[in-house]
Amino acid sequence: MEKLSFLYANALFDLAIKHGQTDEFLEQTISLHDALADYEMQRILKHPHISAAEKKKFFKEAFSGRVHDDLLGFLYLAADKNRESYIIPAFLALIDMIRRYKGTVTAQVSSAVALDDKQAERLKNLLSQKLNKRVELKLKVEPKLIGGPYIFVDGYYIDWTLKKRLRDLTVHMKEVYTA
């Protein structure tokens, strides 16, 4: 599924470049993703008893005139080919492609407690400086981490969590006392 989603995203990316509308495609793809990624919406889109014609009618009524015809055409194609499950992965890949093209990456940041605005801004600036790219943060709270963040950005995984430090300490202590 990943390969076909990537092919769809790549074709849409090529069209965005061709039309010189990467900003518009990015904004509209994010909006489409947000509208269609909802659990209930996914159940409707993937429902086997809702025809392709009904899905296309929904897409037309909901998005015609609001999104580029090529994005709407992709939705029609997905409905016609019974490939609705490829829509969200293709949109995520397209968003990533356009952001990379524009020199922007998204950092997935998980922490035990929510970062305040000042902490988030400092982290964003630090990552931007280190990667030499514009960074957008996607923040998530995971109390099980105990403390500290872990970050996934531009192919890098940075784990500064207390949970990892305790695990590393345990491994180190076992090595010291078994040697």
Side-chain angles (χ1 to χ4, degrees):
M1 177 160 91
E2 187 176 312
K3 184 177 180 181
L4 192 52
S5 296
F6 178 79
L7 291 174
Y8 285 136
N10 200 47
L12 290 168
F13 178 71
D14 288 345
L15 290 168
I17 298 291
K18 176 184 170 187
H19 296 303
Q21 296 181 320
T22 54
D23 290 336
E24 293 84 355
F25 267 65
L26 178 60
E27 181 182 318
Q28 293 171 13
T29 303
I30 291 170
S31 294
L32 284 168
H33 171 271
D34 292 349
L36 299 176
D38 176 75
Y39 175 76
E40 286 301 317
M41 182 58 70
Q42 284 296 299
R43 283 186 41 176
I44 293 167
L45 289 178
K46 295 175 185 176
H47 198 286
H49 299 298
I50 300 175
S51 71
E54 290 172 301
K55 292 173 187 177
K56 287 168 59 174
K57 181 181 177 196
F58 165 75
F59 291 143
K60 183 177 182 178
E61 289 174 1
F63 305 118
S64 184
R66 295 188 184 114
V67 299
H68 195 278
D69 287 343
D70 292 332
L71 291 169
L72 194 57
F74 165 64
L75 294 173
Y76 292 165
L77 176 69
D80 282 338
K81 301 256 184 202
N82 196 29
R83 293 186 176 156
E84 295 86 347
S85 61
Y86 294 87
I87 293 171
I88 297 304
F91 283 162
L92 290 172
L94 177 59
I95 290 165
D96 186 54
M97 286 177 190
I98 294 173
R99 284 184 171 156
R100 286 182 183 279
Y101 174 78
K102 298 176 83 42
T104 302
V105 293
T106 300
Q108 308 283 339
V109 180
S110 296
S111 59
V113 295
L115 299 179
D116 63 35
D117 291 342
K118 189 175 178 181
Q119 291 169 319
E121 191 62 30
R122 276 197 330 241
L123 179 59
K124 187 166 113 174
N125 290 337
L126 175 68
L127 291 171
S128 292
Q129 184 180 28
K130 293 289 183 189
L131 296 170
N132 199 25
K133 296 179 181 177
R134 220 175 89 219
V135 175
E136 293 178 1
L137 299 181
K138 186 172 182 185
L139 304 172
K140 181 178 179 184
V141 175
E142 291 186 41
K144 69 180 181 182
L145 297 176
I146 306 170
Y150 73 82
I151 304 161
F152 183 74
V153 60
D154 204 27
Y156 296 101
Y157 178 73
I158 305 159
D159 192 341
W160 291 330
T161 62
L162 185 55
K163 184 176 180 177
K164 181 183 184 308
R165 290 178 188 176
L166 290 171
R167 190 171 49 240
D168 291 348
L169 180 62
T170 302
V171 169
H172 178 70
M173 295 302 287
K174 284 180 181 178
E175 289 173 357
V176 168
Y177 288 109
T178 58

